[in-house]
Amino acid sequence: MLEPAYQVDVVVVGAGVAGLSAAHRLTGAGVTTAVLEAAPEVGGRMSTESVDGFRLDRAGAPLITATPVLRTAPGLEPLALRQFAPGVLLHRDGRTHRAGAPAPVGGARGALHVARALASAPRGPATAPGRTGTPLGGAWDQARLNAALARIAATPVDRLLARPEQAAADALAARGVPARTVEGFLRPLLAALLCDPGLATSSRAADLALRAFAGGRFAVPAGGAEALPGLLARALPPGTVRTGVRVTSVSTTSVTTAEHGVLRCRAVLLATDARAAAELLPGLRVPDFHPVTVVHHTTDDPAPALATGTSLVLDADRGGPVAHTAVLSEVDPGRAPAGRALISSTVLGTPPGDVDSAVRTQLARLYGTPTHRWETLAVHHTPDAVPAMRPAYDPHRPVRLMAGLYVCGDHRDTGTLQGALHSATRAAAAVLTDLGAATPMHLADPPASMPRAA
């Protein structure tokens, strides 16, 4: 028998969220698709490890409920999110304070009303940061901050993207934001959102991250990060996703695999991480990355949960390697066995040599309880966790390399979950156009993507 000219229309290399989302859009347009994944499971960096009844995420970035793609991406309709308490808990000078929660009077107008009401109140002499009972300096500063967050939540994305671009730290200084507000709130918050404690990220990306935070709440997928790519994979036609298949070379009309030889197709979409994509396509740009380490502990002591509840805790003192931490079993009880607390902490940058010891010391201060008897469940280090987004940053790198060869992922858009999914939408639209397939309306290029929690 004569072999067919091709076996599928499109081969997607990589079963992370970008590849799976692109496959959804392609199969939804009637294009036969095969997704090849070298690992035994789908998900890429959004994976979850099971250890003695605990569900341990390898990546430490919570999501933001206001991220539009979580409501609109095909296949994610059943996604269940477990939300943190509003705002964040800031630890400064031995005290913990809530910040960033919604203003007591609804909306931007209400927040501005609070600010104006406080304008006539005596502000008193300036004091050192953290000595006023709050890391932000006082009631006046908190009201100004709430008003600013309310305004940015109501600002159209296009207006934010039209602002002059510079490093986030420089932009905050140029806008006259008080240093105590930057160090006491914005730096630790943006570090959690962008995985960049140095605030070298583009000010536009930082503004979009703050807009998402101001309009929503931190959250995690119920049962672990893997729930999100798992939903995408299960909603594809049976047999679409094939794990344990390592691709060794690609062309515009075929891929070669180590296990199954050549698979012929009409187009190839690379949806791997940037380094793996560059190995298959020498010359493809590889960005710098922010490394992330996640340390998981457990204890049967209820003290951590009683101290912080379902809040995300940020260390405004920067008194150790941990950028943010939470009792995740309080946020999502399904992540730990009954009677046990799961404390997950995120370290940004290069971790210290004895990272577990340094993390325990810092957590004892943040949670106000001894940690020497806590059990370490896992330490997950990802050197290429989040693509850096330094100015001048192009959030729409080309996804069409040539007819028949395409690439998508967070390294082609913003270094976020939304960026990965947005790049998948752009790549799928380019594939369909080149194949002459009708492009459904939902594949039209959406507005600029907004960063998530890092």
Side-chain angles (χ1 to χ4, degrees):
M1 295 179 61
L2 294 176
E3 292 185 353
Y6 61 89
Q7 293 157 284
V8 292
D9 290 314
V10 181
V11 173
V12 177
V13 182
V17 292
L20 293 169
S21 179
H24 260 283
R25 298 184 181 278
L26 294 170
T27 58
V31 173
T32 60
T33 305
V35 181
L36 307 183
E37 171 58 51
E41 304 290 341
V42 304
R45 283 168 289 178
M46 293 197 72
S47 61
T48 303
E49 181 183 17
S50 295
V51 177
D52 297 331
F54 292 92
R55 305 286 293 161
L56 311 178
D57 287 349
R58 292 186 177 275
L63 308 177
I64 294 289
T65 56
T67 304
V69 74
L70 295 178
R71 301 187 300 270
T72 60
L76 292 183
E77 296 84 358
L79 180 65
L81 295 178
R82 301 289 181 256
Q83 297 185 16
F84 289 77
V88 294
L89 283 184
L90 289 165
H91 194 277
R92 183 72 178 263
D93 288 350
R95 302 175 182 178
T96 302
H97 314 272
R98 185 166 300 282
V105 182
R109 184 174 301 174
L112 290 170
H113 173 77
V114 174
R116 292 192 187 102
L118 288 169
S120 58
R123 300 180 214 175
T127 57
R131 300 300 181 187
T132 59
T134 165
L136 301 179
W140 171 255
D141 288 321
Q142 293 229 40
R144 289 181 61 187
L145 175 64
N146 284 341
L149 288 174
R151 285 197 300 272
I152 199 169
T155 302
V157 170
D158 290 346
R159 286 184 56 189
L160 292 180
L161 294 177
R163 290 180 173 181
E165 184 184 24
Q166 54 189 140
D170 296 335
L172 292 173
R175 295 169 190 172
V177 181
R180 61 178 175 267
T181 303
V182 173
E183 297 304 321
F185 176 66
L186 290 174
R187 184 182 295 275
L189 174 63
L190 285 170
L193 290 166
L194 303 169
C195 295
D196 176 21
L199 299 189
T201 296
S202 162
S203 57
R204 293 174 181 172
D207 284 341
L208 291 170
L210 288 174
R211 184 182 189 273
F213 170 78
R217 286 163 65 172
F218 282 115
V220 291
E226 71 174 14
L228 194 153
L231 280 174
L232 291 172
R234 288 192 295 273
L236 287 169
T240 299
V241 181
R242 310 173 193 181
T243 57
V245 180
R246 184 168 58 90
V247 173
T248 57
S249 66
V250 300
S251 73
T252 57
T253 57
S254 68
V255 300
T256 302
T257 70
E259 295 79 8
H260 306 290
V262 176
L263 182 63
R264 290 172 297 280
C265 56
R266 299 169 64 195
V268 175
L269 171 57
L270 286 182
T272 65
D273 63 75
R275 293 196 191 280
E279 289 178 4
L280 292 170
L281 293 175
L284 195 68
R285 178 185 176 275
V286 177
D288 294 330
F289 290 90
H290 297 300
V292 174
T293 304
V294 183
V295 184
H296 299 283
H297 292 102
T298 184
T299 177
D300 56 5
D301 179 5
L306 292 175
T308 62
T310 60
S311 296
L312 188 70
V313 182
L314 311 182
D315 189 359
D317 286 328
R318 303 172 74 182
V322 174
H324 56 87
T325 181
V327 185
L328 271 190
S329 52
E330 289 294 299
V331 181
D332 182 8
R335 295 187 180 222
R340 304 290 297 184
L342 172 61
I343 302 97
S344 298
S345 308
T346 298
V347 174
L348 303 178
T350 303
D354 188 358
V355 63
D356 186 57
S357 177
V359 167
R360 285 173 183 267
T361 300
Q362 187 178 3
L363 295 184
R365 177 172 56 84
L366 295 178
Y367 288 108
T369 189
T371 59
H372 62 279
R373 297 185 63 183
W374 287 10
E375 177 186 352
T376 303
L377 295 169
V379 178
H380 294 141
H381 178 63
T382 307
D384 296 345
V386 179
M389 296 183 285
R390 300 187 182 98
Y393 187 76
D394 179 8
H396 297 117
R397 291 188 173 87
V399 292
R400 182 187 187 273
L401 304 180
M402 63 180 70
L405 194 57
Y406 312 83
V407 61
C408 68
D410 56 6
H411 52 96
R412 310 306 294 180
D413 209 279
T414 57
T416 65
L417 171 65
Q418 172 115 342
L421 295 174
H422 184 212
S423 74
T425 299
R426 294 194 292 126
V431 171
L432 293 175
T433 297
D434 287 349
L435 293 183
T439 304
M441 289 300 294
H442 67 267
L443 285 181
D445 207 24
S449 52
M450 291 186 288
R452 62 158 180 164

